[in-house]
Amino acid sequence: MAMKQNTVHDMYVQLIDQFNQARLVGDNNRVPLLRKIVAALDNPDQHYHVIHIAGTNGKGSTGAMLSAILEAQGYQVGRFNSPAILNDREQIQFNHQWITEAAFIDSYNEIKPVVKRLGMATTDISIFEWQFLISLIWYRNQRADYVILEAGLGGLTDATNAISAPQLTVFTKIAMDHMQILGDTLTKIATQKSKIIKSGTSVVTLYDQKPEVFKVLQNEAQNQGVSLTAPKTEAAVLARSFTGMTVDLHSDLFNWSALKLNLAGDFQVQNLTLVLTAVAVLKRHHVRITDEALRAGLQQIQLPDRLTVISQHPLIVVDVAHNPDGMTALTNSLKRLAEQYSLTWVVGFLADKAVTPMLQLLLPLANHVLTVTPDNPKRALPGDELASQIQILSPEVDVQVMSSMPQAMQTARETLPKNGMIVVAGSFYVARELAVMEAEHD
């Protein structure tokens, strides 16, 4: 049996190695091409209800909340989300389980002849596009009731836009990120994302999107002849800790008192508002979701690296804040939750991110900063350059350049004062290295 496992694993590794690693998002020809493939596969996405999520920040949290609630109600739920932290298979989940290597290979083999029949080579399709197509097939074969489909980047040219009209189209907070692909204004970015709205869907978003973003989404919904729901909501956080919070949320659409959420960070209130709006719209569509299922689901959310506590002694939290909006959310939460702590930050960023605004947010909360170089040779900002930027911005902050993630964590632990806590933040690659270390440690 061990031998058979090994061969499946070898086949899987070989398959991943031969995929085209290019990021083809931004190319206008991709989605029409993928639509052709999806149609030739007999539209697997029409076998289940799809909830399509786009936005800048909060997609992962919103998708995790929705899938937890639907699962608590007893539905079979697929969730496609990116990027992965530990393993690519994390991106394709069904009832919280990652796709197995064998199922990944089987789904690939189901698609391959169709691609060949269309006169294409398997390498004409990027790795993200393959993952998306494989997820569609696997969820059909698993007989999913619901699939939460998270757009990878943008909307218009994102692989996930190749689906038919979903039951719901959900927009989380839209902010500045990936400007080189999506455009340099909020209106341009929102326009790219709005193009996932299709005739036949219902659109859900936040009342407090920036006005220019709201206008773009409203116009596109009108163009497609679909409803847009974004109720003004009153929210009050009754209790908060690093392991969760209790919230009251009221709007014309819903009234929830003392909802318990096992996620920390006040930024989650915004995502929760969106989820409660989505649930209210689903109920209008006669989808059965009981109050009990909603309350239970919100206490069973699994979400890596969003203000996640990975150690109590010393207190260590990880957050993949990698754009100014995400960093604002993280630092606002820390101001409320970590007042009595001295903070040591372990940070690393990609060079193409808005690093200076992020540093301006985190440095006032930093006693000690250790810089690392993310494990992405093409896009990483070297740790020594990051340290130089920090010294220019905040000469009084104690900064050290670390040669590796293990060295950074060891140094952070060894130099931590009694009232200290460690915050690991920045690129997904930094969180991934930490997760790999933790897994080896266990």
Side-chain angles (χ1 to χ4, degrees):
M1 182 67 203
M3 206 176 107
K4 182 167 180 287
Q5 280 295 341
N6 193 21
T7 51
V8 168
H9 180 66
D10 292 345
M11 282 160 64
Y12 175 78
V13 171
Q14 258 172 327
L15 179 57
I16 296 295
D17 283 348
Q18 70 176 47
F19 279 143
N20 176 349
Q21 298 293 332
R23 272 168 83 171
L24 299 176
V25 64
D27 178 338
N28 290 321
N29 310 322
R30 303 309 297 175
V31 170
L33 180 84
L34 289 166
R35 282 196 179 129
K36 238 186 237 165
I37 299 171
V38 172
L41 290 167
D42 216 7
N43 299 304
D45 59 309
Q46 292 177 16
H47 287 254
Y48 35 77
H49 299 289
V50 175
I51 298 175
H52 200 183
I53 304 181
T56 308
N57 290 312
K59 294 192 292 283
S61 301
T62 302
M65 288 185 206
L66 280 169
S67 61
I69 291 166
L70 290 165
E71 281 175 41
Q73 184 64 53
Y75 294 111
Q76 304 287 305
V77 185
R79 183 166 164 243
F80 179 77
N81 65 301
S82 62
I85 307 283
L86 253 186
N87 184 306
D88 276 352
R89 291 184 293 115
E90 229 180 286
Q91 295 180 190
I92 307 172
Q93 298 187 16
F94 182 71
N95 292 342
H96 274 107
Q97 302 298 307
W98 300 359
I99 189 171
T100 62
E101 292 179 343
F104 189 95
I105 295 166
D106 288 348
S107 308
Y108 170 84
N109 286 334
E110 204 171 319
I111 301 166
K112 191 175 156 182
V114 174
V115 169
K116 290 256 161 69
R117 202 166 67 231
L118 291 171
M120 295 163 63
T122 53
T123 47
D124 290 342
I125 300 167
S126 77
I127 185 162
F128 182 77
E129 292 169 341
W130 269 115
Q131 286 160 339
F132 162 68
L133 292 169
I134 284 167
S135 76
L136 294 189
I137 288 288
W138 189 52
Y139 295 142
R140 186 199 63 200
N141 294 345
Q142 292 286 80
R143 300 209 161 89
D145 300 309
Y146 274 87
V147 169
I148 316 264
L149 195 58
E150 199 183 290
L153 206 163
L156 175 66
T157 63
D158 188 72
T160 61
N161 203 22
I163 56 165
S164 316
Q167 181 166 12
L168 283 188
T169 304
V170 178
F171 291 97
T172 65
K173 178 82 186 287
I174 292 174
M176 303 296 268
D177 200 6
H178 299 292
M179 278 88 85
Q180 68 282 22
I181 297 174
L182 304 178
D184 54 4
T185 67
L186 269 181
T187 300
K188 285 180 189 169
I189 291 173
T191 303
Q192 281 277 332
K193 293 184 193 285
S194 74
K195 297 302 180 190
I196 67 167
I197 299 175
K198 298 172 179 61
S199 120
T201 192
S202 298
V203 181
V204 169
T205 193
L206 294 158
Y207 180 81
D208 54 4
Q209 291 278 18
K210 288 268 169 44
E212 61 267 46
V213 169
F214 202 85
K215 202 170 116 193
V216 167
L217 298 179
Q218 220 166 8
N219 288 348
E220 191 58 37
Q222 270 166 349
N223 292 346
Q224 299 297 338
V226 300
S227 68
L228 179 132
T229 309
K232 187 173 184 182
T233 305
E234 295 295 316
V237 178
L238 309 180
R240 55 169 78 83
S241 75
F242 274 110
T243 50
M245 60 175 106
T246 308
V247 197
D248 281 352
L249 285 151
H250 303 288
S251 76
D252 291 346
L253 261 192
F254 50 76
N255 275 304
W256 290 100
S257 296
L259 274 181
K260 285 188 165 60
L261 188 64
N262 70 333
L263 300 178
D266 284 42
F267 58 92
Q268 294 295 3
V269 176
Q270 199 174 42
N271 298 323
L272 179 56
T273 303
L274 198 52
V275 166
L276 298 178
T277 307
V279 166
V281 173
L282 287 172
K283 284 180 163 176
R284 272 194 204 151
H285 295 177
H286 310 294
V287 175
R288 183 174 155 77
I289 299 172
T290 63
D291 292 2
E292 295 73 31
L294 184 132
R295 286 184 180 274
L298 291 177
Q299 295 184 61
Q300 290 154 9
I301 303 158
Q302 294 178 6
L303 194 67
D305 302 332
R306 305 296 194 293
L307 199 53
T308 305
V309 176
I310 62 161
S311 158
Q312 292 285 358
H313 307 288
L315 182 58
I316 305 177
V317 299
V318 187
D319 193 291
V320 287
H322 58 282
N323 52 35
D325 205 58
M327 189 58 79
T328 302
L330 169 60
T331 49
N332 284 345
S333 299
L334 289 171
K335 280 174 200 164
R336 292 191 177 97
L337 292 167
E339 284 167 319
Q340 72 276 37
Y341 290 97
S342 157
L343 268 55
T344 292
W345 289 73
V346 176
V347 289
F349 297 109
L350 297 181
D352 53 15
K353 297 293 177 183
V355 175
T356 305
M358 288 193 277
L359 291 176
Q360 285 164 333
L361 289 160
L362 80 82
L363 289 172
L365 303 182
N367 298 81
H368 190 178
V369 181
L370 305 175
T371 65
V372 293
T373 306
D375 185 17
N376 182 328
K378 283 202 181 93
R379 296 171 63 207
L381 174 66
D384 52 352
E385 284 181 36
L386 177 57
S388 305
Q389 287 189 32
I390 291 170
Q391 276 160 340
I392 293 164
L393 288 167
S394 280
E396 73 289 350
V397 172
D398 178 27
V399 190
Q400 282 174 277
V401 182
M402 296 286 119
S403 61
S404 67
M405 199 62 196
Q407 190 205 2
M409 293 312 290
Q410 190 183 341
T411 306
R413 284 171 183 269
E414 285 170 1
T415 56
L416 203 62
K418 236 193 172 74
N419 66 333
M421 70 174 278
I422 300 168
V423 182
V424 181
S427 164
F428 278 98
Y429 295 94
V430 172
R432 184 176 299 169
E433 278 187 83
L434 181 61
V436 169
M437 272 172 57
E438 296 288 313
E440 286 168 1
H441 190 69
D442 290 348

